[in-house]
Amino acid sequence: MQDEHEQTTVGGEEFIAFRVGDQEFCVEITSTREIRGWSQATRLPHSPEYIVGVINLRGTILPIMDLSARLGMGSSTPSERHVIIVVQVGEKTVGLLVDSVSDILDVGPDHLRPVPEVSPSMASEMFRRVIVMDKRIICEICLDAITPDMELQAA
Amino acid sequence: MSLDDIKETFFAECADQMAELETGLHEIQSSGPDMDTVNAVFRAVHSIKGGAGAFGYNALVSFAHVFENALDVIRNDLSQVNETRMDLLLRSVDVLSDVIEAERTGAEPQDNAALAGELEASFGLGDAEEAAEEDDALADFAPVMIDLGDLGVGDAPSGHSFRISFMPHASLYLKGHDPLRLFRELAEMGTLSVTCDSAELPKLSELTPDEAYLKWQVDIETDRSREDIEAVFDWVDGECALSIEETGAPAMDDGVDLDAFLQTLDETEPGADIDDFGQDPEPEAEEPKNPVADLIGSLEAADIGAPATVAAGADEPQEQVVDPAIVQAVAAAGQRAEKKEVKKASQTIRVESEKVDRLINLMGELVINQAMLAERIGQAGFGNASPAALALVELQNLTREIQSGVMAIRAQPVKPVFMRMSRIIREVCAATGKKAMLELEGEHTEVDTTVIEGLIDPLTHMIRNAVDHGIEDPETREAKGKPVQGTVRLSAYHSSGRIVIEIRDDGAGINRERVLDKAMEKGIVARDAKLSDDDIDNLIFAPGFSTAEAITDVSGRGVGMDVVRQSIQSLGGRVNISSDPGNGSLFSMSLPLTLAVLDGMIVKEADQTLVLPVSAVLETATLKPGDVYTVGRNSRVVKMRNQLIPIIDVGSQLGFAEPRSDYTRGTIMVVEGGKNGMGAFVVDSIEGQQQVVIKSLESNYKRVPSIAAATILGNGQIALILDCDHIVSHQAEDPGAPIIQSMAG
C-alpha cells in the first residue's frame, strides 16, 4: 500500500485513545490540539451537567466537558489525576475531561468498523466508528455530535 | 504594490469619497447649498470617476459622469437646487454606491440607465444650449457634444479635430504629473501636433524655479469623442487651464514634430522611467518629479523648432540653465516643495484592523500580567508605600494610558453608520409612500469599531421601524397639523463612560391599546395584568411581538424588536423606549465605548470570584436586620434612601449556592439594571476594583444567561462578568417564564 504520510508506518489513521471509567474511547489525532493536566475550572451557571466550567488556556476561555457525564456514564469528580484533551471542533476549541490517556493508535482501514446498533441509552450517534484491534474495542468519539448545542447557539 | 492592492486602495478611497458625498448632499439638503459644499460634493464624484477611468470600470465612469454633470449644473448656479433634484441626487448616491460595489465584487452592475435618464432630464443635460445658457463661463465643463445614449463609451462620429490649449499650473508638476504623459495618451488617439508656447517664460534672473510658465497648444485629429479627450485630462483637473475647442480646420502644420519633441523630453528627463508612469494611477506613488526637469525639457524643445517666440533674453539664460550647479539648486527647491506635499499627505495613515486588533490583544495580556504582578507584590509583603508598590502604581498609570491610546486608534466616529441610515430612510419612504428626513446630531462621537459594527443591524431595524410604524402617511400628518415630512432624529453622545444613541421620531408614538391587545392575544402578558405605560411600551421588545397589522416588506423580516434588544445586549448595551402618543417615540440605547476592557468590581460569592461592571454599581452597603422587608411569599426588598429595592441573592440565582437565610452577613451592592430598575445584589465580600480584559465566552462555548463575558484574573483563574441587566430582570423568576409576568406580578 502506498504511504503518503510521512510519519505513519502502516498507512492508517492515527488516534489518541483514552479511558473514561472502564471503557476506552478515542479521537482523531488531527483534531487534537494538546493534552494537559487538570486545573481548577470556573463553574458556569445555567449550564448542562456535563460542562464542568471554563479554564484559562493561555488567554483563551476554554470550556471543559466531562466526557463521562456527556456519554451518560455519570459525572466524574475532577482530580489531579484527570487529563484534559484539547480538541478542535469546527471553529471552537473544547477541552474533554477524561480519566487518562492510554495510547496512540495507528489504525489501518481493516480495523475500522461502523458503529453497531446498541441500546439507545448509550447514544450511538455520539460515535463515528469503532476500532477493533486485538482484544480491544475502542469507540471513536464524534466531536460534532457531542457538542451540538454549542454549535447551534453559535449560529 | 500589485494592481489588486491598488484597486483595494481605490475602493477604500471610493468609500471615503462616498461618505464625503453623502455628507455634503445632506448638508445641502438641510442648510441649503453653499459653494464649498457643492464643490466638495462635485470633487468626490469627480475623483471616483477619475479613478474608475484609470481601472477601466466603464459602468462606473459613465454613471459617475452623468452624476458629475448634474452636480455641475448646481455648481454653476446654486439656485438650481430644488427638492426634486436633491431627491434625485440622493438616489443617485445610492445607485453610485451600488455600482461601486458591483465593480468591486466583479458583479454585473445593475441597470442604472433609468436613473441616469432621470438625471439628464431633470438637470437638462441633454440640451447643450440650455446648459450653455445657464452659464457661459462653464464652457470648460458643459458637456456640449455629448451623446447621452452612449456616455463615455465613445462611438462618436469619426474625423473630429480639436484644438486644445493647455497651460499647466505649478501644482500640476508638484503633484508629479507630467504633460508628456498626457500628450502620449493623446497621441494614441489620433494625429497630434503640439506647439509649445514659451512666451511667458521670463528671463532667468526673474525666473521663479517652481513656477510654471509654459503652455502648449495641441491640435489633434481623431475619431474619438470630446469625452475621451477630456478624460485624458481628468487627473489634472484643477491643476491646469484647459480649453478644448472643436475646429473644423485641419491640424496646424507648423507645430513641432511630436516624435522629436517627445524624444527631446525623454533625453532631458533625469533618470525617470517615463514608460512606467502610465501604469501607476496613484500620483503619490510616483517617483518624486522635478518640475524643473520638465521646464528644461520644454525650453530645449522650444529651442528646437517651435515657432513660438522665445523671449528675447531666452538665449542668454539658456546657457546658464545648463550650468549643473544651478540645475541642482533648482532641483533641490523643487524637491523641497515635493516633501512638503508628502508630509501633509501622511497625517492620516491606513492601518489594517488586524494589526490594531493584535495590539489590543497584547494590551489585554499586559493588563492581566500587571494584575498578576500586583498580586505577587502583595503576597511578597510589600507595604503600600514601599518602592515596589509605588513603581507598580506608576506602571498601572502607564498601562492605562497605553490602553486608552490603543483604544483611541480603534475608535471611530459613528458618522458612517449614521450616514448609512439616511439611505435606509429613503428606501423605506420609497416603499411606503411616506415622507421623512433624517436629522443627525453628534455624528462625530467616537466609539470602538467593534461596537460600531454591532450597531449597524439593530440601528437599521430601528430606523426602518421608526418610519414604517412611527411616521404617519402624509395625509394623516397634514390632518393632524404636523409638517408633511416627518423627522427622524438620530443623535449620539457620551455619557458616563458609555455612548448613548437616540432615535427620536415625530410620528404617532406607540398605540398602547393596540400593543396591549396584541400582547394579550399572543399570550405575552396575562389578560388581567395591570401594566404601566412604560411597561406597555417595552412590550414591543418581548419575543414574538410584532405590531404591524400586516407584515410589510419593510420592517417585517421575521425578526422583531426582541432581536434588536438581544443584539444590543450582546454588545453589553441596553435599549429603552419612551413614547408620547401622538407626538412620537424615543428609542435610547446605551452602549459601552469598548468591548475590550472594563473597570470591574471583584466580588466573592459562594466560593466563586465574580466581576460586576463598576459603571453598574451605584452603591455598596451592609445590612442591619431591620433593613430587610418581605414582600409577598418569597421576595425580599431592602429600603434604602426611601426606595424599595428587590434583593437578589446572586449565589442562588446563578445556582452556585442554596438561597441564604441571613442577608445581614453579606454585602449589598445596589446595581443599576437598565429599564428593569435596580437590584440589591447580595455577595459574600468585595475583593477590590480592577481593570479586567473582556474575554468572550461565545468564541469557544456559547452565550450563558446572566453572564456577560469572562475575564482572567491575576492568579490566572477565570472570573465571570455578570450581566446585571439580565440578572435584575430575571430575578425570582421561573426559568422559561416570559419576562413580563414578573414585571406584571
Side-chain angles (χ1 to χ4, degrees):
Chain A
M1 189 180 168
Q2 200 67 30
D3 184 6
E4 289 180 3
H5 299 277
E6 287 163 26
Q7 70 273 55
T8 49
T9 47
V10 188
E13 293 176 58
E14 284 192 291
F15 296 91
I16 291 208
F18 46 83
R19 290 197 166 276
V20 177
D22 54 0
Q23 296 191 36
E24 252 189 309
F25 300 94
C26 67
V27 290
E28 279 178 300
I29 207 161
T30 47
S31 34
T32 313
R33 290 283 156 271
E34 66 180 280
I35 297 170
R36 49 179 293 143
W38 165 253
S39 56
Q40 188 58 48
T42 301
R43 282 170 64 189
L44 287 177
H46 310 297
S47 291
E49 182 202 15
Y50 56 82
I51 296 293
V52 182
V54 285
I55 63 166
N56 168 15
L57 180 73
R58 289 183 301 277
T60 52
I61 308 286
L62 183 76
I64 304 297
M65 182 187 288
D66 179 354
L67 206 54
S68 171
R70 183 70 185 110
L71 296 175
M73 297 160 64
S75 333
S76 35
T77 320
S79 69
E80 293 290 322
R81 293 178 295 105
H82 280 84
V83 171
I84 291 168
I85 300 179
V86 182
V87 292
Q88 189 78 34
V89 188
E91 297 278 286
K92 307 197 169 196
T93 313
V94 181
L96 303 178
L97 180 73
V98 302
D99 290 349
S100 62
V101 172
S102 54
D103 210 347
I104 290 176
L105 303 170
D106 195 338
V107 183
D110 45 335
H111 291 290
L112 284 166
R113 308 281 160 78
V115 182
E117 290 292 327
V118 286
S119 68
S121 66
M122 187 67 181
S124 57
E125 70 269 16
M126 291 190 189
F127 305 123
R128 270 182 74 199
R129 291 171 293 186
V130 178
I131 297 169
V132 184
M133 276 178 110
D134 308 324
K135 282 177 189 157
R136 296 155 78 189
I137 290 180
I138 305 168
C139 291
E140 182 198 353
I141 304 278
C142 179
L143 292 173
D144 294 321
I146 61 168
T147 55
D149 71 322
M150 291 165 57
E151 291 300 310
L152 270 177
Q153 290 282 335
Chain B
M1 214 186 200
S2 73
L3 188 62
D4 280 352
D5 290 341
I6 298 170
K7 281 185 180 170
E8 192 89 338
T9 314
F10 166 66
F11 285 115
E13 275 162 11
C14 270
D16 293 349
Q17 303 289 4
M18 287 305 291
E20 181 103 339
L21 172 61
E22 208 158 338
T23 314
L25 284 177
H26 255 268
E27 223 172 291
I28 296 172
Q29 196 178 33
S30 55
S31 45
D34 75 279
M35 208 53 209
D36 284 348
T37 323
V38 173
N39 274 332
V41 165
F42 182 85
R43 253 195 321 273
V45 178
H46 186 79
S47 311
I48 291 174
K49 181 180 113 178
F55 292 106
Y57 295 134
N58 292 331
L60 183 51
V61 172
S62 67
F63 186 75
H65 183 81
V66 184
F67 200 165
E68 185 185 8
N69 284 338
L71 288 170
D72 199 43
V73 171
I74 294 179
R75 196 164 75 140
N76 289 299
D77 182 0
L78 293 181
S79 66
Q80 293 289 326
V81 178
N82 63 32
E83 205 180 314
T84 352
R85 284 181 169 182
M86 277 316 291
D87 182 53
L88 207 51
L89 289 176
L90 285 166
R91 272 166 52 208
S92 305
V93 174
D94 300 345
V95 170
L96 187 63
S97 138
D98 288 345
V99 177
I100 291 174
E101 189 53 26
E103 297 281 23
R104 194 176 69 79
T105 53
E108 195 61 36
Q110 279 179 327
D111 185 29
N112 52 46
L115 188 62
E118 262 186 79
L119 274 176
E120 281 158 12
S122 169
F123 286 89
L125 299 179
D127 193 334
E129 273 178 25
E130 195 186 299
E133 260 171 24
E134 274 166 2
D135 189 347
D136 280 344
L138 241 190
D140 282 3
F141 294 96
V144 184
M145 288 296 292
I146 317 170
D147 175 3
L148 290 156
D150 52 5
L151 270 178
V153 207
D155 249 13
S158 60
H160 294 290
S161 57
F162 295 98
R163 169 163 293 180
I164 304 163
S165 117
F166 172 58
M167 162 109 192
H169 301 323
S171 60
L172 181 141
Y173 298 111
L174 269 179
K175 295 205 170 144
H177 295 295
D178 185 353
L180 176 59
R181 203 186 95 218
L182 302 172
F183 296 150
R184 278 235 169 98
E185 223 171 299
L186 287 175
E188 279 170 19
M189 294 181 175
T191 339
L192 198 67
S193 78
V194 182
T195 317
C196 179
D197 177 358
S198 55
E200 290 184 28
L201 193 70
K203 288 184 181 175
L204 190 58
S205 52
E206 292 158 19
L207 182 129
T208 318
D210 45 13
E211 212 23 80
Y213 299 101
L214 296 175
K215 65 182 180 192
W216 283 272
Q217 183 177 311
V218 181
D219 288 288
I220 179 168
E221 264 186 288
T222 175
D223 53 356
R224 310 285 277 276
S225 68
R226 182 193 181 92
E227 285 297 282
D228 290 337
I229 294 178
E230 280 176 353
V232 171
F233 292 95
D234 264 351
W235 287 106
V236 294
D237 183 45
E239 321 278 4
C240 62
L242 179 70
S243 78
I244 303 175
E245 282 168 46
E246 183 157 15
T247 51
M252 307 256 299
D253 48 355
D254 56 347
V256 181
D257 171 32
L258 181 75
D259 284 338
F261 176 75
L262 293 181
Q263 210 179 2
T264 330
L265 275 183
D266 268 351
E267 281 161 5
T268 46
E269 195 73 52
D273 190 356
I274 296 161
D275 287 329
D276 281 342
F277 278 133
Q279 291 163 11
D280 195 333
E282 264 205 294
E284 288 92 332
E286 289 185 14
E287 250 183 64
K289 284 271 286 114
N290 180 349
V292 179
D294 288 304
L295 196 64
I296 296 167
S298 313
L299 272 173
E300 291 185 3
D303 191 38
I304 278 171
T309 44
V310 173
D315 277 341
E316 192 191 320
Q318 192 91 52
E319 281 169 33
Q320 288 175 24
V321 163
V322 187
D323 183 341
I326 293 179
V327 172
Q328 228 165 21
V330 173
Q335 262 160 8
R336 265 200 302 281
E338 190 74 26
K339 264 185 197 144
K340 231 189 254 166
E341 197 74 10
V342 168
K343 203 170 169 195
K344 205 171 149 199
S346 65
Q347 272 166 352
T348 62
I349 49 169
R350 276 178 200 284
V351 183
E352 286 161 50
S353 52
E354 262 174 39
K355 289 185 184 166
V356 182
D357 287 350
R358 228 179 67 207
L359 202 57
I360 285 176
N361 280 339
L362 281 174
M363 192 209 65
E365 298 302 311
L366 182 66
V367 171
I368 291 169
N369 269 289
Q370 175 194 288
M372 242 176 240
L373 185 62
E375 202 163 305
R376 298 282 181 281
I377 287 184
Q379 280 167 356
F382 289 109
N384 275 347
S386 69
L390 291 177
L392 180 68
V393 171
E394 199 73 1
L395 177 68
Q396 279 164 341
N397 288 340
L398 276 175
T399 315
R400 221 168 244 276
E401 292 231 340
I402 292 177
Q403 185 189 311
S404 59
V406 172
M407 297 321 290
I409 299 178
R410 224 167 44 161
Q412 297 280 325
V414 289
K415 191 172 172 186
V417 179
F418 276 23
M419 294 311 298
R420 215 187 253 223
M421 295 308 138
S422 65
R423 174 173 190 175
I424 305 290
I425 290 205
R426 282 197 294 281
E427 284 176 355
V428 179
C429 286
T432 57
K434 295 179 178 179
K435 281 183 181 287
M437 64 171 293
L438 184 69
E439 270 181 23
L440 300 181
E441 192 182 299
E443 67 267 32
H444 296 293
T445 312
E446 288 194 337
V447 66
D448 196 277
T449 38
T450 46
V451 178
I452 292 185
E453 280 159 22
L455 256 178
I456 295 175
D457 283 348
L459 207 52
T460 307
H461 199 83
M462 286 160 87
I463 291 277
R464 278 208 186 106
N465 260 319
V467 180
D468 195 22
H469 302 321
I471 305 280
E472 312 91 329
D473 45 58
E475 300 80 49
T476 319
R477 289 186 68 91
E478 204 161 12
K480 283 188 178 174
K482 288 185 184 181
V484 174
Q485 190 176 43
T487 309
V488 178
R489 189 178 184 80
L490 191 54
S491 56
Y493 57 90
H494 282 165
S495 162
S496 55
R498 294 170 77 86
I499 182 171
V500 180
I501 294 176
E502 292 181 345
I503 301 167
R504 186 190 294 273
D505 66 69
D506 65 347
I510 285 182
N511 184 340
R512 297 201 174 111
E513 243 168 75
R514 218 175 84 208
V515 167
L516 195 56
D517 280 354
K518 199 99 178 181
M520 289 177 171
E521 189 184 304
K522 297 205 168 178
I524 296 170
V525 56
R527 289 271 166 202
D528 54 353
K530 279 252 175 292
L531 298 181
S532 69
D533 285 352
D534 245 13
D535 288 345
I536 298 174
D537 290 348
N538 278 284
L539 277 174
I540 62 164
F541 290 115
F545 190 89
S546 172
T547 47
E549 312 255 271
I551 288 182
T552 61
D553 67 331
V554 179
S555 322
R557 296 246 161 92
V559 290
M561 292 302 280
D562 60 318
V563 178
V564 169
R565 192 222 277 268
Q566 259 174 34
S567 41
I568 300 283
Q569 276 176 347
S570 70
L571 291 171
R574 37 182 192 256
V575 53
N576 293 325
I577 179 178
S578 55
S579 176
D580 179 5
N583 295 317
S585 318
L586 168 70
F587 287 86
S588 149
M589 294 181 269
S590 148
L591 293 150
L593 289 180
T594 165
L595 302 181
V597 276
L598 69 84
D599 278 312
M601 186 85 89
I602 318 284
V603 300
K604 278 258 188 226
E605 164 70 5
D607 290 333
Q608 303 281 326
T609 308
L610 300 170
V611 181
L612 284 102
V614 168
S615 58
V617 179
L618 299 177
E619 67 174 300
T620 62
T622 46
L623 294 184
K624 293 186 292 294
D627 294 337
V628 181
Y629 301 86
T630 307
V631 178
R633 193 157 47 94
N634 257 331
S635 330
R636 295 196 167 73
V637 296
V638 56
K639 192 175 169 196
M640 286 178 95
R641 301 184 204 295
N642 275 332
Q643 267 188 301
L644 291 178
I645 304 166
I647 292 180
I648 297 167
D649 187 346
V650 177
S652 87
Q653 174 111 22
L654 296 180
F656 288 152
E658 292 298 308
R660 57 180 83 212
S661 49
D662 182 6
Y663 292 114
T664 52
R665 274 209 226 127
T667 304
I668 290 279
M669 312 184 74
V670 181
V671 168
E672 201 203 345
K675 197 67 186 177
N676 303 304
M678 291 184 286
F681 287 22
V682 193
V683 297
D684 289 343
S685 61
I686 295 173
E687 299 285 296
Q689 196 174 322
Q690 166 189 328
Q691 267 201 324
V692 297
V693 178
I694 301 176
K695 300 263 181 185
S696 145
L697 276 175
E698 281 111 290
S699 61
N700 281 325
Y701 186 51
K702 60 176 182 182
R703 197 168 160 70
V704 179
S706 305
I707 303 299
T711 188
I712 296 169
L713 296 177
N715 59 10
Q717 285 285 314
I718 292 174
L720 301 176
I721 303 172
L722 300 181
D723 180 346
C724 296
D725 286 16
H726 188 271
I727 294 179
V728 171
S729 65
H730 287 68
Q731 48 168 318
E733 168 196 310
D734 299 327
I739 306 169
I740 206 66
Q741 281 177 357
S742 68
M743 283 168 68

